[in-house]
Amino acid sequence: MSALHATALAGGDRSRLGTKLPARERLALLLDEGSFAEDGLLANALDEGLPADAVITGSGTVDGRPVAVIAHDPTVKAGSWGRRTVDKQIRILERADRDLLPVFYLVDSAGGRLTDQLGFHPGPRGAARIFHLQVRLSGRVPQLCCLFGPSAAGGAYMPAFCDWVGMVDGNASMYLASPRIAEKAIGEVVTLEEMGGARMHTSVSGCGDQLCADDAEAIAAARRLLTYLPSSWRERPARGPARPPARTDWDGVLPASFRSAYDVGAVVDRILDEGTFFEIKARWAKEIVIGLGRLDGHVVGIVANQPKVRSGAIQVDSSDKAARFIAFCDAFNVPLVFLADIPGFMIGSVVERQGIIRHGAKMVAAMSSAEVPRFCVVLRKAFAAGYYAMSCPGFEPRATIALAGAQIGAMAGEAAVNAVWANHIAAIEDPAERAAFIAGRVEELDAELDAVRLADELLVDAVVDPTALRGELERRLAAAQGWERSQDRRHHGAFPV
């Protein structure tokens, strides 16, 4: 091997890595041993002597599946982008588009080199071409990002166009302008963590999907996520070995009172195969829970209201969270199971000013346009337009299943009584008479909302006890395995919303 090869493989100054792994060690953790075929190793080796020009690109396999990789090298000019850096990334993305290869982005870059602006910024083979290809790939192949360090300025959009972003706590950051530039430009004094750190993006902005302790954890999570996905939109997720759920006992899981909170994770544990739930965006918009898992070995997407957070009412951020995930599952042929226990969309002037109607419409539109098999399960209650967003019968789910004792309606009985008979109730002077009137009307309305009454009217397909729910879903999912898209149309991407 020549000295140029050796220099390129060695990379740059490792003293600046701190707790971070070198780029080639990251690739070794990601890819199957001996599978990596590298492109452009000697890029910029003669003119400036920059090892691989700060980015490692090529193809390899993950658990035997061919993938494309982009790995920034922070030891070489802080992983910054010049003309050749950009061209290498464009070339591998063009190949991924041509050959339908999932793409792993191992991001750790200070952004474009201001000393090479004509090389990386304005032209048809500039950085914009990278983002154009990412959008073209969206919904065609999985794009998974491990963010180990900075992703700065325009380069911050590389993670943003990915389907999943794992961010390393304490090291990863995303920002359009650094704190120093923000102070100079708009007078804001802010820390890097506040501006674009991993904890902020995984809990406040929603730009990050998972907070990871270190590089190895982020790579392991990305590898695991790929096991739930097909290599492209033309395929279906592979079935894995079937396992029983982690728990089968339902005593005490669902409180009798609709006002009482509980953790919907306990329901997920009793439906999915043990140890298979891969939660996404767990730290953000916690009133809704999303993630991938297996049911009798089959991959499914879970969209579940979380009663222990804000009563499970859908908010602005949770609308966006669910909409993006639903589109992602539909793009990659993953059936969806909606677990509804919802009082409705959040109300009040604060959320109205935030555009709850507009954001809620995104979730409803994503759900309505998803052609993968959808199943709606009403755990305790499903009221108002929140029921619509959770794939109610009007949106043609494969089945609507309610647990015994569940209620479905435009409004809970007690609230409806106070709305409809407010003046009559106010006119009743005797407290006992007033209470009896309210109780009678609530009982009448509750009877109308009961799941059995709705099943009698063919408004739900099945009413089951909790212990029978998993089996009911297994059978219905098995019956839907031969599903096909309704028409030959251009496939959509899982775009940000």
Side-chain angles (χ1 to χ4, degrees):
M1 180 182 293
S2 70
L4 286 176
H5 284 86
T7 299
L9 290 171
D13 181 8
R14 296 193 178 193
S15 66
R16 302 178 62 183
L17 285 173
T19 60
K20 298 191 291 187
L21 294 175
R24 293 186 183 277
E25 290 187 23
R26 292 168 177 167
L27 284 172
L29 288 176
L30 173 67
L31 300 174
D32 299 339
E33 185 176 359
S35 69
F36 184 46
E38 184 170 355
D39 300 324
L41 173 63
L42 298 182
N44 221 344
L46 297 177
D47 295 345
E48 299 180 68
L50 300 179
D53 207 36
V55 66
I56 305 167
T57 60
S59 58
T61 61
V62 173
D63 291 329
R65 297 169 60 181
V67 301
V69 294
I70 289 173
H72 300 136
D73 187 347
T75 70
V76 180
K77 277 194 174 292
S80 59
W81 296 5
R83 177 177 62 81
R84 295 175 183 86
T85 324
V86 167
D87 195 44
K88 286 177 67 173
Q89 294 176 96
I90 289 171
R91 290 184 182 197
I92 191 61
L93 292 176
E94 288 173 337
R95 189 191 309 168
D97 185 43
R98 182 175 64 247
D99 296 342
L100 290 179
L101 299 177
V103 184
F104 285 86
Y105 300 82
L106 308 187
V107 176
D108 194 342
S109 172
R113 291 176 202 155
L114 298 182
T115 56
D116 191 11
Q117 293 190 51
L118 290 180
F120 81 85
H121 185 260
R125 299 285 291 183
R129 174 71 176 168
I130 294 174
F131 306 140
H132 178 56
L133 287 164
Q134 284 191 273
V135 173
R136 179 186 293 178
L137 287 164
S138 182
R140 285 168 54 77
V141 298
Q143 298 184 84
L144 309 179
C145 174
C146 296
L147 186 48
F148 304 110
S151 183
Y157 285 101
M158 177 171 276
F161 289 122
C162 290
D163 298 308
W164 176 88
V165 181
M167 300 184 70
V168 176
D169 192 16
N171 286 334
S173 60
M174 265 189 283
Y175 50 84
L176 296 182
S178 70
R180 182 164 60 89
I181 293 176
E183 183 177 0
K184 293 289 185 182
I186 62 175
E188 181 183 15
V189 178
V190 64
T191 67
L192 179 59
E193 178 60 35
E194 291 169 336
M195 173 72 80
R199 288 182 174 270
M200 188 283 287
H201 277 308
T202 55
S203 63
V204 179
S205 76
C207 290
D209 292 283
Q210 185 167 331
L211 185 69
C212 303
D214 54 32
D215 293 11
E217 182 179 310
I219 292 168
R223 283 179 58 99
R224 183 184 174 208
L225 178 54
L226 187 65
T227 66
Y228 295 92
L229 302 172
S231 290
S232 80
W233 67 278
R234 296 183 184 277
E235 304 170 5
R236 304 282 170 91
R239 186 180 183 185
R243 304 177 189 169
R247 303 290 296 272
T248 58
D249 59 305
W250 283 83
D251 291 344
V253 173
L254 299 174
S257 171
F258 289 170
R259 294 181 178 274
S260 297
Y262 68 94
D263 184 358
V264 78
V267 176
V268 175
D269 286 344
R270 287 159 173 80
I271 292 176
L272 296 182
D273 297 0
E274 182 175 7
T276 64
F277 188 49
F278 186 97
E279 189 171 357
I280 294 173
K281 295 189 185 298
R283 292 167 47 84
W284 183 59
K286 295 180 181 180
E287 62 274 5
I288 205 159
V289 173
I290 60 172
L292 300 171
R294 293 186 181 275
L295 180 61
D296 194 34
H298 297 288
V299 177
V300 295
I302 296 291
V303 180
N305 305 124
Q306 178 56 286
K308 76 172 186 177
V309 180
R310 300 176 179 178
S311 300
I314 300 175
Q315 313 276 336
V316 167
D317 283 346
S318 45
S319 296
D320 287 356
K321 175 178 174 177
R324 176 75 185 270
F325 179 70
I326 291 166
F328 170 63
C329 288
D330 187 49
F332 295 113
N333 306 315
V334 176
L336 286 157
V337 176
F338 292 80
L339 301 178
D341 194 337
I342 183 170
F345 282 92
M346 189 62 188
I347 61 173
S349 62
V350 172
V351 291
E352 294 292 0
R353 288 172 179 269
Q354 293 172 339
I356 185 65
I357 298 170
R358 174 169 53 85
H359 288 270
K362 294 177 187 179
M363 179 178 175
V364 173
M367 176 275 300
S368 179
S369 63
E371 291 194 306
V372 294
R374 289 181 276 113
F375 305 90
C376 175
V377 178
V378 180
L379 300 175
R380 289 191 308 177
K381 62 186 182 296
F383 295 133
Y387 184 39
Y388 292 176
M390 296 299 286
S391 192
C392 77
F395 293 95
E396 298 183 311
R398 294 303 178 101
T400 302
I401 304 163
L403 296 189
Q407 289 187 358
I408 302 171
M411 187 180 291
E414 184 178 352
V417 167
N418 284 288
V420 174
W421 287 285
N423 292 334
H424 183 82
I425 292 170
I428 301 175
E429 296 182 357
D430 180 59
E433 182 184 350
R434 186 187 311 118
F437 177 83
I438 292 173
R441 301 294 82 72
V442 169
E443 184 176 357
E444 291 173 2
L445 287 178
D446 283 350
E448 288 292 311
L449 305 179
D450 184 71
V452 173
R453 170 67 174 171
L454 296 171
D456 177 71
E457 297 286 344
L458 292 180
L459 301 177
V460 300
D461 296 296
V463 179
V464 301
D465 290 327
T467 53
L469 178 57
R470 176 180 158 100
E472 184 78 18
L473 285 171
E474 283 182 0
R475 291 186 291 274
R476 293 184 179 276
L477 184 61
Q481 287 305 302
W483 73 276
E484 297 289 342
R485 296 195 179 271
S486 61
Q487 55 186 327
D488 185 15
R489 61 179 176 85
R490 182 181 182 273
H491 207 64
H492 66 79
F495 299 132
V497 293

